[in-house]
Structures are given as C-alpha cells and as structure tokens.
Amino acid sequence: MPGPVPVVPVAVLTAAVLHAVWNGLAHRIPDKLVGFALINLTYTGCGLVLVLLNPLPAAAAWPYLLSSVAVEVASTLLLLKAYQLGDFGQMYPIARGTAPLLVALISATLLGRPPGAGQLLGVAVISCGLIGLAFAQGIPGRAQLPALGAAVGTGVMIAVYTVLDGNGVRHAGTVGGYVAWLFLLQGPVLALIVRVRRGPSLLAGAGRAVPLGIAGGVLSLTAYGLVVWAQSRGDLATVAALRETSIVIAALIAAVVFRERLGRLRLTAALTVLGGIVVLELAHP
C-alpha cells in the first residue's frame, strides 16, 4: 500500500514549475515591457485584496519595505532587458544562480555571519556553474555583454531585496501585511512607465499579451504562495533547495518551447548552478 504523499516537497516542486513557466510566458511576449506591466498589475489587484485582509506593518518595517519595492522594480526592469537581449535558457539560470551566491557573500561580509565549509563549497560550485553559463557559447563578445550584465544585475537586485525583506518581515509584526503592501506598491510602477513611454492606454495594441501577462501574474503569485506555505511547514533549507529546480525546468522550456540550442555545456552548467545552490542551502545553519 503506497505511503502518504509528501505534500511539502510536492508543493515546492509545483512552485518551481510555475516559476519557470511564468518566466517563460514573460519571455514569450513580444512586447516585454507591456507583458511585465500586465504581470505586475496582477500583483496590484491581489495586493489590494490582501491589504484589506491583513494588519498594517509596523512603522519600523517601512524603510525596508519601500526600499524593497524600489529594488524589485529595478530587478524586473533588468530581467525584462535580459529577456529582450538573451536566450531564456541562459538568462534565467544566471539570474537565479547569482542571487543565492551574493546573499551568502553579503551574509559573510556585511552581516558578520562567516560561512562554514559546506557553504564555501556551495559558493564555489555556483561560481563554476555561472562561469560555464557565461562561456557556454565561447568567450562573450561585446554584443553579448549587455544581456549577461542584465542577467547578473537581476541576480544582484534579487539578493538585495532578499536581504531587505528578510529584515523587513522581522520588524513588520505581520508577514501577510508586509507581503500585501509589497505587491500593492510594486505593481503599478511598470504600468506608469508604459504610460509615459507609450501614451495613456496600456492595453492598446497589447493583443495576446493581455491573457499571457495576467496568466504570468497569477502563476507567479501562486508559486510565491506555495513557497510561503511550504516554508511554514517544512525545513527552510530543503524548501529553498527544492525551489531552485526551476533552473532545470527553465532549461527544458528553453529547448522544447523556444527551440533554443541547449547543448551539453549549457545543460551541465545549469545543473552545476542547481547543485551548488542545493549544497549552499542545505549547509546553511
């Protein structure tokens, strides 16, 4: 007789699939600025509902929250640029892999938390994988540097807002309220950018981008919710490590959906980044 389904790992792996899929949808939309704006407006709608259902964060959390909003918008703009300029199968794992590497380095250098041997091994493995991804098609020429820079910049921004949110939630007194205001304030910014650049109507000429953008926003929020739920019931390091399987899923999406050349080196590099993240997270005290 089969045993019970391991609910937490299944939830996290589902979140990993959804995260890779929504990023794939964002990459597929031809007008990526409009696409990301629609995704973010979905955040706004959900954030408004959550704000009504949760208490206001404490005053001490607002500097972290507002800073995180600004950094997350910058992260979105950099990811948008990376998807405009580069292959999905290369940009996604570089952005995802850079963040935990930098969080580990920030913890060691700025927060006074020296890494153990396992964490140092994870950092080394991630670094090797990222180098492999950057050089998967040979030494990058000048034309490839903006895409690689945007992907690495995305990872830097993710690392910064990860540290900000980790501290902000501790001061907020309410996880739900903090997340709700984060979504609500972050969401409209890209729509305002579209309005400035394109005129008053966001939906004019958007066409197929509308359902894809809304679907991307719903999938993104669902993935986030599954991870938060899993973190409340499972081991945090295991949840964080399982979540990064999205890197491999994204590589498969790139090959099957976008017909990108995966290649042995790029696949090996993506798996190396994943392996390093798993080592880093499991070694975290």
Side-chain angles (χ1 to χ4, degrees):
M1 186 173 179
V5 176
V7 179
V8 170
V10 169
V12 180
L13 291 172
T14 301
V17 172
L18 295 180
H19 194 278
V21 170
W22 89 252
N23 274 269
L25 288 174
H27 186 272
R28 191 181 187 92
I29 296 172
D31 191 335
K32 292 178 175 51
L33 179 58
V34 170
F36 272 95
L38 290 167
I39 290 170
N40 278 258
L41 282 177
T42 306
Y43 296 168
T44 302
C46 294
L48 181 59
V49 174
L50 292 172
V51 160
L52 298 175
L53 297 176
N54 287 277
L56 191 70
W62 283 93
Y64 296 99
L65 195 154
L66 295 175
S67 298
S68 180
V69 168
V71 173
E72 292 205 31
V73 171
S75 171
T76 301
L77 291 172
L78 285 166
L79 183 62
L80 184 159
K81 181 59 67 175
Y83 286 168
Q84 285 177 331
L85 299 175
D87 287 344
F88 179 67
Q90 185 181 32
M91 298 296 103
Y92 183 89
I94 288 177
R96 293 292 294 177
T98 302
L101 172 64
L102 290 175
V103 170
L105 295 176
I106 290 171
S107 296
T109 56
L110 299 181
L111 303 181
R113 301 171 187 167
Q119 290 173 290
L120 288 173
L121 175 61
V123 167
V125 173
I126 293 172
S127 300
C128 291
L130 291 175
I131 291 170
L133 283 168
F135 290 89
Q137 295 175 314
I139 298 175
R142 184 175 295 179
Q144 286 78 46
L145 291 179
L148 292 173
V152 171
T154 302
V156 172
M157 294 298 104
I158 292 173
V160 172
Y161 74 64
T162 297
V163 174
L164 286 170
D165 290 341
N167 286 279
V169 167
R170 291 187 179 94
H171 289 84
T174 164
V175 176
Y178 185 93
V179 171
W181 280 97
L182 196 64
F183 286 150
L184 181 63
L185 296 176
Q186 174 192 348
V189 177
L190 283 186
L192 292 174
I193 292 174
V194 172
R195 179 182 175 84
V196 170
R197 291 187 179 181
R198 310 281 180 83
S201 178
L202 171 63
L203 301 181
R208 290 180 57 214
V210 175
L212 289 176
I214 294 173
V218 171
L219 292 178
S220 174
L221 291 169
T222 304
Y224 182 86
L226 286 171
V227 169
V228 171
W229 177 87
Q231 287 173 332
S232 69
R233 286 164 173 78
D235 176 69
L236 292 180
T238 304
V239 169
L242 285 174
R243 182 177 58 186
E244 299 307 333
T245 54
S246 62
I247 288 175
V248 177
I249 297 162
L252 296 176
I253 290 174
V256 175
V257 178
F258 299 125
R259 305 297 182 187
E260 295 176 4
R261 183 176 176 273
L262 187 56
R264 185 177 299 174
L265 179 56
R266 185 181 286 185
L267 178 60
T268 302
L271 290 171
T272 301
V273 171
L274 172 62
I277 293 173
V278 171
V279 170
L280 184 64
E281 298 293 349
L282 293 181
H284 196 277

